[in-house]
Amino acid sequence: MAVEKGKVLSLEDRIPKIKEHRRRKANRRLIFLISLFFLLIMLVIYFQSPLSHINEIKVEGNESVPDKIIIKNSGLKKGNNIWKLDKKEAVKNIEELQEIKNAKIKLGFPNTVYLQVKEFKTIAYVSTGTEFHPILENGLIVVNNHEGGVPVSAPILSSFKEDGVLEHMAKELKELPPEIINVISEIYYTPKKTDKYHITLFMNDGFEVSATILSFSEKMVHYPSFVSQLDPKIKGVIDLEVGSFFKAYETKESNNKNEGE
């Protein structure tokens, strides 16, 4: 009997603890349901409020293409639902611009959209007499130039036509390192009977270069080394057509000397 009495007492002792455990469990469940309820209400309020709509569109990484052009091409507009925008479609639309290499779209809290772009580098400009069209590193010529104005950061190509010669010229320029590109001021297409690919370059350091497009990048890559062996005070023509040799411009003194002889 003593053993049975002990068992009853032990069970009675546990009943309050079981009740307390159940009460706490019920409270946690109630708190969870109340929190979930308020969360759902907040989500409904958020999606119905202006906070869930695009308030600002920012463009990052662009230099030549204006913000407004990229935003327009993306198809995104202020007021659109930020959670319903089609990122893939917007990226595809942005990358249709000739100057854009690739694009990404990121969302910023609470309702800002960032259009992050990377542009193709401009390696030269083609002069049409009244306008300058950029030539990109991928060889494309941008007809609708968004930049406007006179280019200063890349060589200007003159007397070229939009044909295979110009495309070949663009490919050769693409092969050159930036430090060589930056020293070229102008490139004129000056074909000869013996070479329809002949060009004449005017350099920023005052020298003139006679070359052929067919071996242009191969020869021009050695330009700094060749010029370093010349007297910077004596300007002239560097001939890179076949070999590599220099011919100084005739000065007034040399002309007078020749006349005296």
Side-chain angles (χ1 to χ4, degrees):
M1 293 294 292
V3 174
E4 291 179 359
K5 186 178 180 180
K7 286 184 178 179
V8 171
L9 291 173
S10 177
L11 182 60
E12 289 177 350
D13 289 340
R14 291 180 181 179
I15 287 174
K17 293 182 179 180
I18 293 172
K19 288 182 177 180
E20 179 65 21
H21 176 71
R22 288 178 178 175
R23 186 179 66 81
R24 289 180 179 177
K25 189 175 181 181
N27 287 343
R28 286 198 295 269
R29 187 177 297 171
L30 180 62
I31 292 171
F32 172 75
L33 290 174
I34 292 173
S35 299
L36 182 61
F37 175 72
F38 277 106
L39 179 61
L40 290 173
I41 290 177
M42 293 299 292
L43 286 174
V44 170
I45 294 173
Y46 170 74
F47 283 111
Q48 294 297 322
S49 73
L51 289 175
S52 65
H53 297 82
I54 299 174
N55 180 56
E56 190 173 11
I57 303 174
K58 294 184 177 180
V59 183
E60 299 176 336
N62 58 317
E63 292 183 3
S64 61
V65 186
D67 291 2
K68 62 180 181 180
I69 298 296
I70 294 173
I71 294 172
K72 182 180 179 181
N73 254 61
S74 73
L76 303 180
K77 296 179 180 179
K78 289 184 179 181
N80 290 354
N81 191 302
I82 198 168
W83 301 109
K84 291 184 179 179
L85 65 86
D86 190 334
K87 288 185 180 181
K88 289 184 178 180
E89 184 66 21
V91 166
K92 179 184 175 183
N93 292 337
I94 295 171
E95 290 179 349
E96 285 179 354
L97 291 166
Q98 286 183 305
E99 301 94 328
I100 303 299
K101 194 172 188 177
N102 54 61
K104 292 180 181 178
I105 294 180
K106 289 189 176 181
L107 304 181
F109 184 83
N111 48 15
T112 301
V113 177
Y114 294 92
L115 308 181
Q116 300 175 330
V117 301
K118 185 176 182 181
E119 297 177 335
F120 286 107
K121 293 180 180 178
T122 298
I123 56 174
Y125 290 84
V126 176
S127 172
T128 61
T130 57
E131 296 180 333
F132 296 95
H133 300 306
I135 298 178
L136 307 179
E137 61 178 303
N138 59 353
L140 291 176
I141 300 170
V142 182
V143 178
N144 299 318
N145 183 13
H146 304 298
E147 294 181 56
V150 180
V152 294
S153 59
I156 299 173
L157 276 59
S158 298
S159 303
F160 283 86
K161 295 180 180 179
E162 292 190 32
D163 54 15
V165 175
L166 181 56
E167 290 179 10
H168 200 152
M169 183 75 257
K171 289 179 181 178
E172 290 295 308
L173 284 168
K174 182 182 176 182
E175 298 297 319
L176 290 177
E179 57 268 23
I180 304 294
I181 293 289
N182 292 338
V183 80
I184 302 173
S185 175
E186 296 177 81
I187 302 176
Y188 285 85
Y189 178 47
T190 52
K192 297 179 177 180
K193 290 183 179 180
T194 55
D195 182 14
K196 73 170 186 176
Y197 293 99
H198 184 266
I199 51 176
T200 300
L201 290 76
F202 292 95
M203 314 300 287
N204 289 324
D205 55 13
F207 289 102
E208 181 182 333
V209 175
S210 177
T212 179
I213 298 174
L214 299 176
S215 60
F216 179 70
S217 60
E218 179 186 348
K219 296 288 185 69
M220 278 300 294
V221 75
H222 302 293
Y223 180 81
S225 175
F226 190 85
V227 171
S228 65
Q229 302 174 38
L230 303 176
D231 185 342
K233 294 180 181 180
I234 302 176
K235 304 300 180 182
V237 180
I238 299 172
D239 194 319
L240 301 178
E241 289 184 69
V242 182
S244 298
F245 62 90
F246 174 72
K247 182 180 179 181
Y249 290 132
E250 290 187 5
T251 62
K252 290 182 179 180
E253 290 182 5
S254 61
N255 287 335
N256 292 334
K257 184 177 180 181
N258 291 331
E259 290 175 3
E261 293 176 354

